[in-house]
Each structure stands twice: as C-alpha cells, then as structure tokens.
Amino acid sequence: MKYLRSFLVIVSMLNLVRVSFSSVVSTGNFNKDFFVMWSPDHVNTSADGRTRSMVLDQESGAGFSSNDMFLFGQIDMKIKLISGHSAGTVVAFYLTSDQPNRDEIDFEFLGNVSGQPYILQTNVYADGFDNREERIYLWFDPTQDFHSYSILWNLHQIVFFVDSIPIRTYRNHADKGVAFPRWQPMGVKATLWNGDSWATRGGHDKIDWSKGPFVASFGDYKIDACVWKGNPRFCRAESPTNWWNNEDFSSLTSTQRRWFKWVRRYHMIYDYCQDNARFQDNLPKECSLPKY
C-alpha cells in the first residue's frame, strides 16, 4: 500500500507537469505566434512584431491565424477599426475549429457609412450550427483608438468581453440538449474582407472603393490557453495553470452581471432569442435557460 500511494503521488505530479506544459501565455509577437493565411502583401507587421495591420482593397482582403490550436482559455486582442466610411467591410476576430461540423466563437465588426456607428455582431457555432447572432452598438468610437476584445472559453461558459465588460454569455447547457463547443480545439484568427452583400443594412450599402484602402490594426494580444496536444483530458482539468476552468470562472461575478445587464439594456440592437418570426415561434432551447 505504501508503494502504491507513492506511485499514485508520482503519477499525479507527472500529470500536473504535463498539464502545465499544455498551457501557454503568448509571446506577444505576431511573427512568432501567427501565420498569414492569404494576401501577405496586404498584411503589415511592425519591426518588433508587436502590432499588425491588414488592408482591404479591390484586389483582396487578408487574414492571419495562430500557429497552435487551443482547447479552453482566454484570448485578448486589441483592435483599432477602419475609420471613416467603412460600409460593407467586415473585420473578424474569432476562434474556429475548421471542421465540417465546426465550432466557432465570433466577433464580427460590421462597417457603416460615415457618421453612423459600427455594429458589433457576435455568433457561436456548435457542432456545425450557428444562427445565434447578437448585435450591439459600442459605447465608444472604435476607430479612434485600440480597444480590447476578449473571449473566455471554459467548461462552464463562453463570455465575450469588450474592454473587460461582458457583453454576451453562452452557457454550457449540454446536459439539457444544447450544443456547446467542448471537444474540438480551435485556432485564433483575424480577417478583413468584403462583406457588402450583407454586412451593412442587409447589403444595401456597398463598399465605396474610392474611400479605400481600408485598414484595421491589431496589437497587444494575449493568449492564455491550453495548447492542443491530442488529449483533451489535460485541457479539461482544473489546475492553477488552467485557471479558466476553476469554479471562480464558472459564472459572471455580481459586478459583471450588472455590466452585462447594462449592455443588453442600452446597447443591444438584435438578439436571436427575441426573434420569434425568424424561428417561427420555436426559439432555440438555450433561449429559455439561464445566461449565468
């Protein structure tokens, strides 16, 4: 029995070490943590790798993706959006598994005509199904400076943050038959592209190419997440390294709940859970379940 206990202690310590190696805090260098997916001539990175911009013109947009895939964690990205007339453009920052039945967690910034506010659309894909759009107006001008956009993804919930304010949650109600992204690792991606078939007033306002080129800038990102190594057990474990899975992050705090309600009361302009016409009075199951 003595030797058995010693063996179990050693196994436990090895598992903790393996868990710790599975998690990463990013370098903050775009050249080291990301690769360009397309149009490298439309991607500009500072000499120190700390900031990156993408350009959209009539020739192309651009995109970049993380070198690693992750299963749970928190991703923060500071973004400065396209200034002036940005109608028809889409800047996206998101996690995706790139599988046929993909999981995906989206921030999409929908451009607008000069003088009109940006629309921030969020969406969640689970097992290949989406139709979970929410839209808000931001309470600041996102083109004047960098602002922080974050995704917390753990076993309990997904939380979208803007400057540390929770704007949306999507809880794990898998036990009630609601799909939740929990098995597929996802990469971190950012793209800038032509979405003028739908992005601004349902496609009514097209891109005015005479206002281009259109530039979106990124910087000061942080990836604190479990790197996918092929075994979900390590990423699903509760540990000091995998802090996001701990009970403290299983729901919003009381302060976060107040901010969450403020955003939804004063800044929300569309919620799929209130669109009875779209779903023919058969709203998705999660719409009737707690948000935190």
Side-chain angles (χ1 to χ4, degrees):
M1 181 63 72
K2 175 182 177 181
Y3 294 110
L4 177 60
R5 284 198 299 267
S6 298
F7 173 75
L8 292 174
V9 168
I10 292 171
V11 170
S12 177
M13 290 176 66
L14 287 173
N15 282 337
L16 283 174
V17 170
R18 292 179 72 181
V19 167
S20 67
F21 281 136
S22 72
S23 300
V24 65
V25 176
S26 57
T27 65
N29 187 327
F30 283 100
N31 291 323
K32 292 182 178 180
D33 292 333
F34 293 89
F35 66 93
V36 176
M37 293 188 290
W38 81 88
S39 297
D41 58 339
H42 285 60
V43 178
N44 300 302
T45 308
S46 62
D48 61 3
R50 312 300 287 187
T51 59
R52 171 168 285 180
S53 62
M54 291 192 290
V55 178
L56 170 66
D57 57 24
Q58 285 182 281
E59 178 184 331
S60 180
F64 59 85
S65 175
S66 61
N67 294 320
D68 289 310
M69 304 284 280
F70 308 95
L71 187 65
F72 306 125
Q74 180 162 320
I75 317 295
D76 309 310
M77 181 73 74
K78 288 193 174 179
I79 305 173
K80 184 178 180 182
L81 296 176
I82 300 164
S83 60
H85 189 102
S86 57
T89 67
V90 178
V91 177
F93 162 54
Y94 58 108
L95 308 181
T96 184
S97 66
D98 284 334
Q99 298 297 318
N101 60 327
R102 77 182 187 274
D103 291 339
E104 191 167 297
I105 305 170
D106 294 339
F107 277 106
E108 292 179 312
F109 304 90
L110 312 182
N112 217 329
V113 297
S114 297
Q116 296 299 312
Y118 252 93
I119 291 174
L120 170 54
Q121 174 171 285
T122 57
N123 200 359
V124 176
Y125 287 72
D127 295 333
F129 295 97
D130 62 333
N131 293 330
R132 299 184 178 95
E133 299 92 346
E134 293 185 3
R135 292 184 173 189
I136 66 169
Y137 285 138
L138 295 166
W139 49 94
F140 54 83
D141 184 346
T143 72
Q144 295 301 302
D145 204 351
F146 284 89
H147 290 268
S148 181
Y149 304 92
S150 307
I151 296 168
L152 171 65
W153 171 37
N154 60 33
L155 289 166
H156 314 285
Q157 62 177 348
I158 296 165
V159 185
F160 297 78
F161 294 93
V162 175
D163 289 341
S164 299
I165 292 175
I167 65 163
R168 179 178 183 176
T169 63
Y170 183 81
R171 288 201 63 75
N172 184 352
H173 290 300
D175 60 334
K176 298 178 177 64
V178 177
F180 184 85
R182 55 189 173 136
W183 297 110
Q184 299 184 50
M186 293 194 270
V188 182
K189 297 190 178 185
T191 55
L192 169 58
W193 46 284
N194 177 356
D196 70 4
S197 64
W198 66 275
T200 307
R201 291 205 300 153
H204 182 269
D205 293 319
K206 304 297 186 181
I207 292 180
D208 182 350
W209 295 109
S210 70
K211 307 292 186 182
F214 305 97
V215 180
S217 301
F218 302 78
D220 198 19
Y221 68 88
K222 182 179 179 182
I223 300 173
D224 193 353
C226 186
V227 179
W228 178 248
K229 298 295 184 182
N231 190 336
R233 180 166 58 92
F234 301 124
C235 292
R236 299 170 72 86
E238 289 188 19
S239 70
T241 305
N242 292 357
W243 56 265
W244 47 83
N245 284 333
N246 294 335
E247 187 66 25
D248 288 347
F249 301 94
S250 64
S251 187
L252 300 183
T253 66
S254 57
T255 299
Q256 288 176 333
R257 292 179 188 188
R258 288 195 294 271
W259 281 115
F260 177 77
K261 291 176 181 177
W262 173 78
V263 171
R264 301 181 78 78
R265 179 175 181 180
Y266 295 107
H267 299 280
M268 175 166 278
I269 57 175
Y270 177 78
D271 179 0
Y272 75 106
C273 279
Q274 297 178 11
D275 196 341
N276 283 291
R278 176 184 181 184
F279 294 100
Q280 300 179 347
D281 294 321
N282 186 26
L283 293 172
K285 185 178 293 186
E286 67 267 18
C287 294
S288 62
L289 296 172
K291 294 187 180 298
Y292 47 75

